[in-house]
Amino acid sequence: MSLFSLSLFLLSLLSVSAIELTFWIDPQGNECFFEDIFKDDTVSGNFQVTAGGDMEVEFHILNPNGGVITHIDKAVEHDFEFLAETSGEYSFCFGNLKTYHDMKSITFELFSDRPVMNNVVDKNSMDDLHRKLEQLQHLVRDVQSSQRYLRNREKRHRSTTESTNTRVLWWSIIEAVAIVILSTFQVYYIKSFFNSKRTII
């Protein structure tokens, strides 16, 4: 068996579940996502709020028994990782309860790594290669996550810049209108002043 074929075989044995979502959450709303996870799975992920108001949301993770694994009161972005202590359905919930007007756009990534390889191949002979493949897998995933993070951050900054430019434009228009009104008032006031002086003479 060639090294390439062996690598493909080993990669097929690495059980990885991955989810990537982009969704909107209503004002005063909650959104929960559920994933079946097995004991000893390594679960990791992240989220970013990319648009909407102050761009802060609540976030919490619950295990199958309802126990809190992570609770964030408010955040624009957050990374998490934990080892599943029991099998079952885990909950990943977002809240937009602190605003009555603004919808929020959220990008959410979730990864679940299952260590099944030790049950399939000889541990003594394949440990090193297995570790290297897992490291490569994590590196590729980190690069992909970083790229998505940078794209979302650029999108968020562009949205903020466009909003700021719009406000500056409207402020400039209001300022220009105020200057025109003030100038017109001054012209009429000066004219009326000279007219009144001419009448007195």
Side-chain angles (χ1 to χ4, degrees):
M1 181 183 290
S2 68
L3 181 60
F4 178 72
S5 301
L6 180 60
S7 298
L8 289 178
F9 171 70
L10 293 174
L11 281 171
S12 70
L13 295 174
L14 295 173
S15 178
V16 181
S17 172
I19 296 173
E20 182 184 354
L21 300 168
T22 298
F23 61 95
W24 287 87
I25 182 170
D26 293 325
Q28 294 291 294
N30 273 303
E31 288 288 344
C32 288
F33 301 93
F34 305 94
E35 179 73 4
D36 287 324
I37 296 171
F38 293 90
K39 184 179 179 181
D40 295 329
D41 283 5
T42 299
V43 182
S44 61
N46 63 78
F47 73 84
Q48 297 174 60
V49 184
T50 56
D54 59 5
M55 297 197 293
E56 291 183 338
V57 295
E58 302 88 48
F59 175 68
H60 63 267
I61 303 172
L62 302 178
N63 64 25
N65 301 319
V68 178
I69 297 174
T70 298
H71 178 80
I72 306 295
D73 188 47
K74 58 180 182 178
V76 176
E77 57 191 45
H78 180 67
D79 297 314
F80 61 86
E81 183 172 340
F82 64 91
L83 185 68
E85 296 181 353
T86 182
S87 299
E89 189 177 70
Y90 284 71
S91 306
F92 302 83
C93 296
F94 298 85
N96 190 23
L97 302 176
K98 295 184 178 179
T99 179
Y100 291 90
H101 308 290
D102 300 316
M103 295 179 66
K104 307 282 177 69
S105 175
I106 301 170
T107 298
F108 175 51
E109 292 182 319
L110 179 65
F111 304 97
S112 176
D113 298 343
R114 189 165 308 140
V116 300
M117 183 128 180
N118 291 338
N119 298 326
V120 183
V121 296
D122 179 48
K123 183 176 180 180
N124 293 328
S125 59
M126 307 304 292
D127 256 357
D128 287 342
L129 187 55
H130 180 213
R131 267 197 305 273
K132 291 184 187 306
L133 287 171
E134 284 190 329
Q135 289 171 359
L136 179 62
Q137 179 192 41
H138 283 292
L139 285 172
V140 170
R141 193 177 71 191
D142 288 344
V143 169
Q144 291 174 334
S145 293
S146 296
Q147 288 177 333
R148 280 188 286 266
Y149 168 79
L150 291 173
R151 282 199 300 268
N152 289 329
R153 191 170 185 178
E154 180 187 358
K155 178 182 175 183
R156 191 167 67 232
H157 288 172
R158 185 168 61 248
S159 176
T160 302
T161 302
E162 289 173 356
S163 175
T164 302
N165 289 340
T166 302
R167 291 174 185 171
V168 169
L169 175 64
W170 279 109
W171 177 253
S172 299
I173 292 173
I174 292 170
E175 195 175 44
V177 170
I179 290 172
V180 170
I181 293 173
L182 183 60
S183 300
T184 304
F185 172 76
Q186 287 177 332
V187 169
Y188 277 104
Y189 180 77
I190 292 172
K191 281 184 69 175
S192 64
F193 175 76
F194 281 112
N195 286 338
S196 63
K197 287 199 74 171
R198 191 179 299 122
T199 303
I200 292 173
I201 292 173

